[in-house]
Amino acid sequence: SKYELPYNGKGRKPVPTVTAKAGGQTVTLEKDKDYTVKYENNKQPGTATVTITGKGNYTGTIVKTFMIVEK
């Protein structure tokens, strides 16, 4: 299933929930403290990209896409 948001004439910026395993437990990371988010192609209908990059104690990059659709 694809993640879809309706087109609203503005940029769409869905906030992802980011989790990590730490000490055998799953923890939810905090935006701007534990990771940064960058959006691309998120202003017009079509496929948009969100890039999540770890910072501080967290490393790595995850790239996900979502659809902006005209309803």
Side-chain angles (χ1 to χ4, degrees), residues 38-70:
K38 183 175 122 186
Y39 299 92
E40 293 179 60
N41 302 320
N42 64 322
K43 294 186 178 18
Q44 298 296 323
T47 302
T49 304
V50 56
T51 303
I52 302 153
T53 304
K55 62 188 273 190
N57 294 327
Y58 302 96
T59 59
T61 300
I62 299 169
V63 178
K64 295 286 185 179
T65 59
F66 60 96
M67 296 295 296
I68 298 175
V69 295
E70 290 193 72

Side-chain angles (χ1 to χ4, degrees), residues 22-43:
Q25 295 183 335
T26 299
V27 294
T28 300
L29 306 186
E30 289 183 50
K31 182 178 178 280
D32 298 324
K33 176 184 172 195
D34 300 320
Y35 65 92
T36 59
V37 180
K38 183 175 122 186
Y39 299 92
E40 293 179 60
N41 302 320
N42 64 322
K43 294 186 178 18

